[in-house]
Amino acid sequence: MKKINLKVKLGQRIILKNPVVLESGCFGYGEEYRDLIDINRVGAIVTKTITLKPRAGNLPPRLVETAAGLLNSIGLANVGIELFLKEKLPYLKKFSTPVIVSIAGEGSEEYLKLVQILNKEKIAGIELNISCPNIKKNLVIAQDEVETFNLVKAVRKKTELPLLVKLSPNVTDITRIAKSAEKAGADILSLVNTFSAMGIDSETGSPRLGGVVGGLSGPAIKPIALRMVWQVRKATSLPIIGAGGILSCNDALEFIIAGANAVGLGTAIFVNPHAYQEIITGLKKYLFRKAIYDVNELVGSLHEN
Amino acid sequence: MKKINLKVKLGQRIILKNPVVLESGCFGYGEEYRDLIDINRVGAIVTKTITLKPRAGNLPPRLVETAAGLLNSIGLANVGIELFLKEKLPYLKKFSTPVIVSIAGEGSEEYLKLVQILNKEKIAGIELNISCPNIKKNLVIAQDEVETFNLVKAVRKKTELPLLVKLSPNVTDITRIAKSAEKAGADILSLVNTFSAMGIDSETGSPRLGGVVGGLSGPAIKPIALRMVWQVRKATSLPIIGAGGILSCNDALEFIIAGANAVGLGTAIFVNPHAYQEIITGLKKYLFRKAIYDVNELVGSLHEN
Amino acid sequence: MLQIKAEIIENRELLSAIYYRLSLKAEKIARVSKPGQFLHIKVNPVGPPVSHGVNQEIFPLLRRPFSIHRVKRQNVDILYRVRGKGTEILSQRKKGQYLDVIGPLGKGYKLPDKGAKIILVAGGIGVASLYFLAEKIAPPPISGGFTPLEGEDRRRGVTHFTILIGGKKAENILCRDEFERLGGEIKVSTEDGSLGRKGLVTDLLSTFNLKPSSVIYACGPMEMLKKIAEIARSHRIFCQVSLEEHMACGVGACRGCVIRVKRERYKRVCKDGPVFNSEEIIW
Amino acid sequence: MLQIKAEIIENRELLSAIYYRLSLKAEKIARVSKPGQFLHIKVNPVGPPVSHGVNQEIFPLLRRPFSIHRVKRQNVDILYRVRGKGTEILSQRKKGQYLDVIGPLGKGYKLPDKGAKIILVAGGIGVASLYFLAEKIAPPPISGGFTPLEGEDRRRGVTHFTILIGGKKAENILCRDEFERLGGEIKVSTEDGSLGRKGLVTDLLSTFNLKPSSVIYACGPMEMLKKIAEIARSHRIFCQVSLEEHMACGVGACRGCVIRVKRERYKRVCKDGPVFNSEEIIW
Ligand SMILES: Cc1cc2nc3c(=O)[nH]c(=O)nc-3n(C[C@H](O)[C@H](O)[C@H](O)COP(=O)(O)OP(=O)(O)OC[C@H]3O[C@@H](n4cnc5c(N)ncnc54)[C@H](O)[C@@H]3O)c2cc1C
Ligand SMILES: Cc1cc2nc3c(=O)[nH]c(=O)nc-3n(C[C@H](O)[C@H](O)[C@H](O)COP(=O)(O)OP(=O)(O)OC[C@H]3O[C@@H](n4cnc5c(N)ncnc54)[C@H](O)[C@@H]3O)c2cc1C
Ligand SMILES: Cc1cc2nc3c(=O)[nH]c(=O)nc-3n(C[C@H](O)[C@H](O)[C@H](O)COP(=O)(O)O)c2cc1C
Ligand SMILES: Cc1cc2nc3c(=O)[nH]c(=O)nc-3n(C[C@H](O)[C@H](O)[C@H](O)COP(=O)(O)O)c2cc1C
Ligand code: FES
Ligand code: FES
């Protein structure tokens, strides 16, 4: 039996055993899933987004289940970079799996400070969560080409670590943001973050989320996320971590065929912590059955007429 | 027992018996549902989008069911304005319900021609489906403020009929497009159209839709559509027909509380042609139970703290 | 065409466990149904929406189309194969529950002229609609509410027909007894040879002495229908095929279920079909 | 904490038809479960995903949390009320089927010191977790795999407890017999007076002679817990409450299930709770 290759390189320096990545915010700091997920078997992990100062997060309720989706308004609750480095990162570094640290700041100075702190750490890469507003201009960075370019460029100058940029789907044309990030020096693109959305309790006439508007994830958004990955694949040559509603191996295959070099699991972790393993096994079976043997050959292989 | 008022005015001249509108493309030319839907009981109907020339539409397959959603790539298949006026409109005019004719053109000249033709007809209004590309600039009109403004302005000059503009959700900030349409003289805003999305058959490695990319509708998109209606409510003072994933009375209530003056049913018609009646009955019960008595009082009543 | 809540009279697993026969009490639909027409069924349990904004109708979201298999007084039956989630959920519905059903939909088979040599060709679950057709062509001997073909003698076998049934294995061959009771001549083929002739049902058809006076009615997988259309064409035989496409509305409104045809470019399976003259189709 | 596919041993409707008791074979979970902890259950049928890209796991999408109600050898029971779609689907699962279960999760009740006057207060389905607690406090007479409280005498009634159970009507009062078998003193209140004292369970509590040596354990609706916290506070009684919030991960990772607390601002119900000291909470 021929050996199946699941190994994937994202840029020059991040090598994954397999293309399954655990996404930011859905795997906490890793420890929480200690008993359920074997980090050594996963392709890579992205930490909960870390900010300079600890953040308590948004008012509850923070979670609402929607039709085939999950609406959340966590509000970047996190322990802050200091505690993260002291108490959370050491645990994650015990594993053989690349650890990507997601960061966000209010304004580029905060991003740069975070990057400078992380430069001293042995981590696989930094992911810029740019779905936060630029406080000066009151505009979400990932929704603006110029803002994205400026931030990525500024960060690029300050770090040699592999740089991932996480794109927001709440845009008119995601390829323009992707190209801005590429031009500014991003190494890898990660897409998509959640869709801005809300729910209303008609009995009380109030928003279902304490934060009123939150982010929609899960199977509901899959067809839209998939379209975006496909578009970005055609618009840039950067490696892509594709995410948005992936639950099963079949979902993962769709993203890979559309052009994702790796696939991210967010909501799936909640639904089934074991999903990563089912997807890895499923990919192997599929590649064997199709006599492809190397997952990289599948990337972007969509037949278009 | 106090009488419940479901009557809704959209702008100066469109009066609906109740706030339930059957959306463009999902009710065909009305005749198809002759045996299942009593048009006289519906608030208003919007016809399938009509173009100047007949259009055969896109290559099949044109439909895919997704998680709580429907992905379609019909491609504006329609009989063209000439046959529409001759064979389809007469049927719809038999009812006491306002008929809004949806139109689309490739370039503003086609829109203007269509409007001039429709000016002679006794219809309740014209809805501009602006999710078509501007052929000159190869850019979807509804995705661009200036394009939207120019088109709506041009049409406004040529017609006294109530003018509806149907917004696309595939934008960074829907309020900007809404405000453009308002400034240019739109009477009513209709949102949302479908989300650009796709599906892939991992077995064959091909797109599931003949047209590769199609439009996502149904419950999956509801939380995003709802957020957009809420935003547009705050950004403009135009009447809104809110749509996107409404199946039940509860869904309709969410949209009304968020700010929709009327609610549109698209995919729901396929799922349950009788949904309109269940929603109307449900609204009455709700209003009675809450002692509100007039549905207009509910519009935009969301409690925000 | 009606939308009704129809009570389930029976939802019975057939021998091979992936096939089911569902009987619905649907008198008004029964009265007007014609062979080749279909029902559009919401397989989810009928019930009030739950709180919390998520409606139980959402999975699966769309209705599923099924050919009318049999009509008996107030009952309408379908015969179905469990294929994906929708049919799996349908197979779990129980007697006494209700289903939301729209029907009858579509244009059915054009009935044959007198004296025609009638050949029915079924692939797998394709027997479903052909059985209803056969009943009209050759009504069963006991008058049980079946409407015989107009001007047709009620005696069995007056209108003779042959039915070829093909499938992968013996367990995919359905309704043999039923067709026999109608007096049809039955030929079977299976791909693995476990029943009847080994091979494809189209091979079986090729062995026939086909004359221009023959008419073919076929229902089954696309490749089978395509092959049959070729055979019919080469023998200049009038041939009707029942097609499938994914559907949303089922009533002709959405233009989603189209297939490519020679003249108008596209026709809707739900409204212009599902039965088409094999000559119209771009295969 | 484990993720397992647990076989359903029983899923029994209780008297009032909206309550069910589900027994799962889950030995490893059974061994380590503590009163107040919970299971996070995927209520959908376990099975392979279907073709067509739509997975049957999607409705409902998230797991549902349920307190551990009872542990008996290899079995873990929950007691649940049908509330929305998830619990409705759960109520349809049958003996012999499997459920995907994660557990035990969360921090349970802090067990009382010796000699404390123990008062349990349950609102409706709140009895679920309190029964497991009561079993630890006052192990049942027949040694049936129940682990008695460390250093505790096995004889019934050695540790005395009182349980107050409140509900809307008589049919919302569950587990009276079970608590009686443990030797507890049982007081009941119903809002309509159809069983026990008419009124709220908090009114019942107010009639008690509460001393600082009392400890209260409460589980039920938020308003009830809030009232109890006030009573406990005014009597300077140590009081533990079990809270509910909508959950995604259930293991502390997503920060979604928080409640407002006095010091750290927010705590996670799933990981820092679900049992909290009533003093911590911002009610
Ligand atoms: C007019 C008409 C009559 C039909 N009559 C019968 C019948 O009498 N008995 C019967 O068993 N089946 C019949 N079918 C097919 C039946 O509708 C599908 O098997 C059913 O919709 C599958 O639903 P599902 O949710 O189980 O499968 P899904 O999970 O939706 O899909 C499972 C597989 O079936 C395919 N599929 C789904 N829907 C269709 C469709 N409409 N056409 C073709 N392939 C499809 C999918 O691509 C997939 O490969 C008919 C279809 C049509 C259009
Ligand atoms: C730690 C914990 C332990 C629990 N133990 C039990 C138990 O032992 N027995 C039992 O019957 N129930 C218990 N619950 C509540 C149970 O989880 C909910 O009733 C269940 O999730 C409802 O799911 P559903 O799909 O049926 O309802 P949905 O359709 O999701 O909602 C129905 C209604 O219930 C509300 N609801 C949904 N989930 C929750 C939740 N987690 N907390 C509060 N309200 C909710 C909704 O807002 C809605 O009003 C517990 C909850 C928690 C957090
Ligand atoms: C509860 C929750 C918290 C999240 N937190 C973050 C975060 O801190 N940073 C981030 O970049 N993305 C965050 N995300 C987005 C996910 O990483 C992912 O991009 C998104 O959920 C889409 O993937 P999915 O559908 O697989 O969940 C969060 C998502 C969820 C559901
Ligand atoms: C099959 C199909 C065809 C549609 N055709 C049109 C159309 O011709 N013109 C238009 O403006 N919108 C069209 N729409 C969009 C709907 O009118 C509606 O805006 C959208 O589906 C969202 O609402 P829903 O989730 O209730 O379906 C179509 C939608 C579907 C599903
Ligand atoms: S399914 Fe809508 S036209 Fe056929
Ligand atoms: S549910 Fe995720 S932290 Fe509690």
Side-chain angles (χ1 to χ4, degrees):
Chain A
M1 186 177 142
K2 230 175 136 175
K3 233 189 143 260
I4 306 285
N5 178 50
L6 287 185
K7 204 190 281 180
V8 160
K9 265 183 86 173
L10 299 181
Q12 294 307 306
R13 285 180 292 155
I14 306 187
I15 296 169
L16 316 187
K17 300 180 193 70
N18 62 62
V20 180
V21 176
L22 303 182
E23 284 280 322
S24 180
C26 302
F27 189 54
Y29 305 112
E31 279 175 326
E32 297 91 337
Y33 275 104
R34 182 196 293 263
D35 297 345
L36 303 177
I37 293 178
D38 181 352
I39 294 181
N40 278 325
R41 286 168 175 261
V42 174
I45 63 169
V46 186
T47 68
K48 172 77 197 162
T49 297
I50 309 294
T51 52
L52 213 48
K53 298 266 163 58
R55 285 175 61 101
N58 289 342
L59 265 182
R62 293 182 176 177
L63 297 170
V64 179
E65 183 169 327
T66 68
L70 168 64
L71 189 52
N72 88 79
S73 145
I74 307 296
L76 293 185
N78 79 97
V79 295
I81 188 77
E82 203 180 307
L83 267 184
F84 171 74
L85 294 181
K86 218 169 81 186
E87 294 181 3
K88 308 295 182 185
L89 188 59
Y91 173 77
L92 292 172
K93 290 211 293 207
K94 287 189 221 159
F95 303 93
S96 63
T97 295
V99 174
I100 294 155
V101 178
S102 168
I103 59 169
E106 294 183 349
S108 57
E109 302 74 31
E110 285 192 19
Y111 278 99
L112 293 175
K113 277 189 200 153
L114 285 160
V115 168
Q116 273 158 343
I117 296 169
L118 287 170
N119 277 337
K120 293 167 216 141
E121 300 294 327
K122 271 201 168 158
I123 56 175
I126 296 176
E127 179 168 290
L128 301 181
N129 177 353
I130 54 171
S131 298
C132 302
N134 173 326
I135 34 165
K136 279 198 205 120
K137 303 198 183 152
N138 196 19
L139 171 157
V140 176
I141 298 169
Q143 290 185 320
D144 188 281
E145 291 167 68
V146 179
E147 290 285 318
T148 301
F149 181 86
N150 290 344
L151 178 69
V152 176
K153 184 96 185 172
V155 168
R156 178 73 295 172
K157 280 192 197 145
K158 297 284 181 201
T159 190
E160 312 233 294
L161 283 168
L163 192 57
L164 294 83
V165 176
K166 174 113 172 233
L167 304 179
S168 161
N170 302 302
V171 294
T172 303
D173 182 353
I174 198 164
T175 65
R176 298 175 73 140
I177 316 289
K179 282 190 267 187
S180 284
E182 182 174 30
K183 256 189 284 167
D187 296 309
I188 299 159
L189 297 174
S190 189
L191 58 144
V192 298
N193 214 317
T194 53
F195 286 74
S196 176
M198 72 189 288
I200 293 173
D201 181 339
S202 60
E203 271 314 305
T204 62
S206 304
R208 285 195 184 276
L209 289 175
V212 185
V213 169
L216 186 67
S217 63
I221 65 167
K222 194 188 76 173
I224 317 177
L226 187 67
R227 183 262 299 172
M228 290 180 171
V229 165
W230 175 72
Q231 287 181 314
V232 171
R233 170 76 299 146
K234 305 215 285 194
T236 87
S237 55
L238 291 184
I240 294 173
I241 303 177
I246 299 176
L247 281 191
S248 67
C249 176
N250 215 46
D251 300 331
L253 284 166
E254 286 192 72
F255 277 81
I256 294 171
I257 293 168
N261 303 74
V263 291
L265 305 185
T267 308
I269 305 176
F270 310 147
V271 172
N272 176 15
H274 206 242
Y276 77 97
Q277 190 58 58
E278 290 166 19
I279 292 172
I280 292 167
T281 312
L283 286 176
K284 279 191 198 156
K285 280 192 192 153
Y286 175 92
L287 292 170
F288 185 76
R289 185 158 54 80
K290 296 277 180 185
I292 300 182
Y293 306 114
D294 184 350
V295 70
N296 294 286
E297 279 177 36
L298 208 62
V299 175
S301 63
L302 185 72
H303 304 310
E304 295 169 51
N305 317 323
Chain B
M1 187 174 138
K2 230 174 136 176
K3 233 188 141 259
I4 306 283
N5 178 49
L6 287 185
K7 204 191 281 178
V8 160
K9 266 182 85 172
L10 299 181
Q12 295 307 307
R13 286 180 292 156
I14 307 187
I15 295 169
L16 317 187
K17 299 181 194 71
N18 61 62
V20 180
V21 176
L22 303 182
E23 284 282 322
S24 180
C26 302
F27 189 54
Y29 306 112
E31 278 175 327
E32 297 91 338
Y33 276 104
R34 182 196 293 263
D35 297 345
L36 304 177
I37 293 179
D38 181 353
I39 294 181
N40 278 326
R41 288 169 173 260
V42 174
I45 63 168
V46 186
T47 67
K48 172 78 198 161
T49 296
I50 309 295
T51 53
L52 213 48
K53 300 267 163 57
R55 286 174 59 101
N58 290 342
L59 264 182
R62 293 180 176 180
L63 298 170
V64 179
E65 184 170 327
T66 68
L70 168 63
L71 190 51
N72 88 78
S73 144
I74 308 296
L76 292 184
N78 80 95
V79 293
I81 190 76
E82 203 179 310
L83 266 183
F84 171 74
L85 295 180
K86 219 169 80 185
E87 296 181 1
K88 308 295 181 184
L89 189 59
Y91 173 77
L92 292 173
K93 291 211 291 207
K94 288 189 221 157
F95 303 92
S96 63
T97 295
V99 175
I100 295 156
V101 178
S102 169
I103 59 169
E106 295 183 348
S108 56
E109 303 73 32
E110 286 192 19
Y111 278 99
L112 293 174
K113 277 189 201 153
L114 286 160
V115 167
Q116 274 158 342
I117 297 170
L118 287 169
N119 277 338
K120 295 166 216 141
E121 299 295 325
K122 271 202 168 154
I123 57 176
I126 295 177
E127 178 168 291
L128 302 180
N129 177 354
I130 54 171
S131 298
C132 301
N134 172 325
I135 33 164
K136 278 198 205 123
K137 304 200 182 151
N138 195 18
L139 171 158
V140 175
I141 297 169
Q143 290 184 320
D144 187 281
E145 290 167 68
V146 179
E147 291 285 319
T148 301
F149 181 87
N150 291 344
L151 178 69
V152 176
K153 184 97 186 173
V155 169
R156 177 74 293 171
K157 281 191 195 145
K158 298 285 181 200
T159 189
E160 312 233 294
L161 282 169
L163 192 58
L164 293 83
V165 177
K166 174 112 171 233
L167 304 179
S168 162
N170 302 302
V171 293
T172 303
D173 182 355
I174 197 163
T175 65
R176 298 175 74 139
I177 316 291
K179 282 189 268 187
S180 284
E182 181 174 31
K183 255 188 287 167
D187 295 309
I188 298 160
L189 298 174
S190 189
L191 58 142
V192 298
N193 214 316
T194 54
F195 286 75
S196 175
M198 72 188 288
I200 293 173
D201 181 338
S202 60
E203 272 314 305
T204 62
S206 304
R208 286 195 183 277
L209 290 175
V212 185
V213 170
L216 186 67
S217 63
I221 65 167
K222 194 189 76 173
I224 317 178
L226 187 67
R227 183 262 300 172
M228 291 179 170
V229 166
W230 176 71
Q231 287 183 314
V232 170
R233 171 74 301 145
K234 304 215 285 191
T236 87
S237 55
L238 291 183
I240 294 172
I241 303 177
I246 299 175
L247 281 191
S248 66
C249 176
N250 215 45
D251 299 331
L253 284 166
E254 287 192 69
F255 276 81
I256 294 170
I257 293 169
N261 304 75
V263 292
L265 304 186
T267 308
I269 305 176
F270 309 148
V271 173
N272 177 16
H274 205 243
Y276 76 97
Q277 191 57 59
E278 291 167 17
I279 292 172
I280 293 167
T281 312
L283 286 176
K284 278 190 198 154
K285 281 194 192 151
Y286 175 94
L287 292 170
F288 185 76
R289 186 158 53 81
K290 296 275 180 186
I292 300 181
Y293 306 115
D294 184 350
V295 71
N296 294 287
E297 280 177 34
L298 208 60
V299 175
S301 63
L302 185 70
H303 304 310
E304 294 169 53
N305 315 323
Chain C
M1 184 194 314
L2 300 116
Q3 180 181 6
I4 56 162
K5 303 250 188 284
E7 190 184 340
I8 299 175
I9 302 300
E10 188 178 56
N11 191 16
R12 201 159 64 88
E13 201 174 319
L14 303 184
L15 291 175
S16 33
I18 48 164
Y19 298 105
Y20 286 76
R21 183 183 280 122
L22 174 81
S23 275
L24 293 167
K25 188 170 158 181
E27 196 178 350
K28 287 186 187 161
I29 292 179
R31 265 208 298 267
V32 292
S33 294
K34 297 198 189 84
Q37 288 189 305
F38 66 96
L39 304 180
H40 213 25
I41 301 183
K42 190 83 180 106
V43 299
N44 320 55
V46 172
V50 294
S51 57
H52 206 38
V54 179
N55 197 297
Q56 63 183 322
E57 298 185 321
I58 66 155
F59 185 57
L61 183 65
L62 298 174
R63 288 166 184 272
R64 298 291 190 261
F66 300 96
S67 300
I68 297 171
H69 171 53
R70 220 165 55 175
V71 167
K72 206 164 173 179
R73 293 198 197 84
Q74 57 186 355
N75 291 357
V76 181
D77 293 4
I78 65 166
L79 188 73
Y80 65 97
R81 186 197 160 105
V82 173
R83 226 161 147 172
K85 196 58 203 151
T87 41
E88 194 189 318
I89 290 178
L90 185 59
S91 73
Q92 289 157 6
R93 301 268 76 79
K94 299 266 175 299
K95 186 183 155 136
Q97 293 182 322
Y98 284 76
L99 290 172
D100 187 324
V101 175
I102 300 175
L105 297 175
K107 287 211 183 75
Y109 296 104
K110 264 223 314 257
L111 294 173
D113 292 334
K114 275 232 163 133
K117 194 188 160 207
I118 301 161
I119 305 170
L120 313 181
V121 191
I125 194 71
V127 291
S129 68
L130 293 174
Y131 178 77
F132 190 20
L133 175 66
E135 267 194 358
K136 288 278 171 186
I137 294 171
I142 328 106
S143 80
F146 298 99
T147 337
L149 198 56
E150 237 169 68
E152 199 66 89
D153 196 318
R154 265 171 181 273
R155 264 186 313 123
R156 181 217 286 242
V158 163
T159 306
H160 179 81
F161 70 92
T162 305
I163 172 139
L164 318 186
I165 314 178
K168 283 228 165 68
K169 305 179 205 172
E171 69 231 49
N172 303 118
I173 306 299
L174 300 168
C175 297
R176 273 196 304 161
D177 295 355
E178 286 86 342
F179 282 111
E180 213 153 87
R181 248 175 271 138
L182 296 179
E185 185 187 344
I186 302 163
K187 310 238 170 197
V188 169
S189 70
T190 52
E191 288 175 38
D192 71 349
S194 52
L195 195 74
R197 193 174 189 272
K198 181 171 171 153
L200 297 171
V201 72
T202 46
D203 302 337
L204 199 58
L205 182 65
S206 308
T207 65
F208 262 60
N209 179 15
L210 296 166
K211 295 179 218 147
S213 69
S214 304
V215 291
I216 296 177
Y217 294 90
C219 186
M222 205 60 180
E223 317 84 77
M224 172 192 119
L225 297 179
K226 183 176 176 177
K227 192 77 211 295
I228 290 171
E230 279 164 23
I231 295 172
R233 179 176 200 137
S234 68
H235 290 80
R236 297 169 186 239
I237 294 174
F238 183 63
C239 170
Q240 290 176 59
V241 292
S242 178
L243 298 185
E244 295 190 359
E245 247 309 332
H246 288 216
M247 292 184 179
C249 71
V251 302
C254 75
R255 271 78 189 160
C257 63
V258 299
I259 44 136
R260 296 172 63 209
V261 296
K262 285 176 190 151
R263 292 187 182 223
E264 295 101 306
R265 195 132 161 217
Y266 296 120
K267 274 193 170 179
R268 296 161 298 181
V269 169
C270 71
K271 179 88 178 176
D272 307 314
V275 177
F276 294 91
N277 178 338
S278 70
E279 280 292 301
E280 303 179 74
I281 312 294
I282 301 180
W283 291 98
Chain D
M1 183 195 311
L2 299 116
Q3 181 182 4
I4 57 164
K5 303 250 188 285
E7 191 183 339
I8 298 175
I9 302 300
E10 189 179 55
N11 191 15
R12 201 159 64 87
E13 201 174 317
L14 303 184
L15 292 175
S16 32
I18 48 163
Y19 297 105
Y20 286 75
R21 183 181 281 125
L22 175 81
S23 277
L24 294 168
K25 187 171 158 183
E27 196 179 350
K28 287 186 188 161
I29 292 178
R31 267 208 297 265
V32 292
S33 293
K34 297 198 188 85
Q37 289 190 305
F38 67 94
L39 303 181
H40 213 25
I41 301 183
K42 191 83 179 110
V43 300
N44 320 56
V46 173
V50 295
S51 58
H52 206 36
V54 179
N55 196 297
Q56 63 182 323
E57 299 186 320
I58 68 155
F59 186 55
L61 183 64
L62 298 175
R63 290 166 183 271
R64 297 292 190 259
F66 299 96
S67 301
I68 297 171
H69 171 51
R70 222 165 54 175
V71 168
K72 206 165 174 177
R73 293 199 196 83
Q74 58 187 355
N75 290 358
V76 181
D77 293 6
I78 64 166
L79 188 74
Y80 64 96
R81 186 197 160 104
V82 174
R83 225 159 148 174
K85 197 58 201 151
T87 42
E88 193 188 317
I89 290 179
L90 186 60
S91 74
Q92 289 158 6
R93 301 270 74 79
K94 298 268 177 296
K95 188 183 153 134
Q97 294 182 322
Y98 284 76
L99 290 173
D100 188 323
V101 175
I102 299 175
L105 296 175
K107 285 210 184 76
Y109 296 104
K110 265 226 307 266
L111 295 175
D113 292 334
K114 276 231 161 136
K117 194 185 163 209
I118 300 162
I119 305 170
L120 313 181
V121 191
I125 195 70
V127 292
S129 68
L130 292 175
Y131 178 76
F132 190 20
L133 175 65
E135 265 194 359
K136 288 279 173 185
I137 294 171
I142 327 105
S143 78
F146 298 99
T147 335
L149 196 57
E150 237 169 69
E152 199 68 88
D153 195 321
R154 266 171 181 271
R155 264 184 312 125
R156 179 218 285 242
V158 162
T159 305
H160 179 81
F161 71 91
T162 305
I163 172 139
L164 319 185
I165 314 179
K168 284 227 165 70
K169 305 179 204 170
E171 68 232 50
N172 301 119
I173 306 298
L174 300 169
C175 296
R176 272 196 304 161
D177 296 354
E178 286 86 342
F179 282 110
E180 213 153 88
R181 251 176 267 138
L182 296 177
E185 185 187 342
I186 302 164
K187 311 237 169 198
V188 169
S189 71
T190 53
E191 288 175 39
D192 70 349
S194 52
L195 196 71
R197 192 174 190 273
K198 182 171 171 156
L200 298 171
V201 72
T202 46
D203 302 337
L204 198 59
L205 182 65
S206 308
T207 66
F208 262 60
N209 179 15
L210 296 167
K211 293 178 220 148
S213 68
S214 304
V215 291
I216 296 177
Y217 294 90
C219 186
M222 205 59 180
E223 318 84 76
M224 172 193 118
L225 298 179
K226 184 176 175 178
K227 193 75 211 296
I228 290 172
E230 279 165 23
I231 296 173
R233 184 182 193 129
S234 67
H235 291 79
R236 297 168 186 238
I237 293 176
F238 184 63
C239 170
Q240 290 176 59
V241 292
S242 179
L243 299 185
E244 294 190 0
E245 247 309 332
H246 288 217
M247 290 183 180
C249 71
V251 302
C254 74
R255 270 79 188 160
C257 63
V258 300
I259 43 136
R260 294 172 64 210
V261 296
K262 285 178 188 149
R263 292 186 182 222
E264 297 98 307
R265 198 134 158 213
Y266 295 120
K267 276 193 169 179
R268 297 162 297 182
V269 169
C270 71
K271 179 88 176 177
D272 308 314
V275 177
F276 294 91
N277 178 338
S278 70
E279 282 291 302
E280 303 179 75
I281 312 295
I282 300 181
W283 291 98

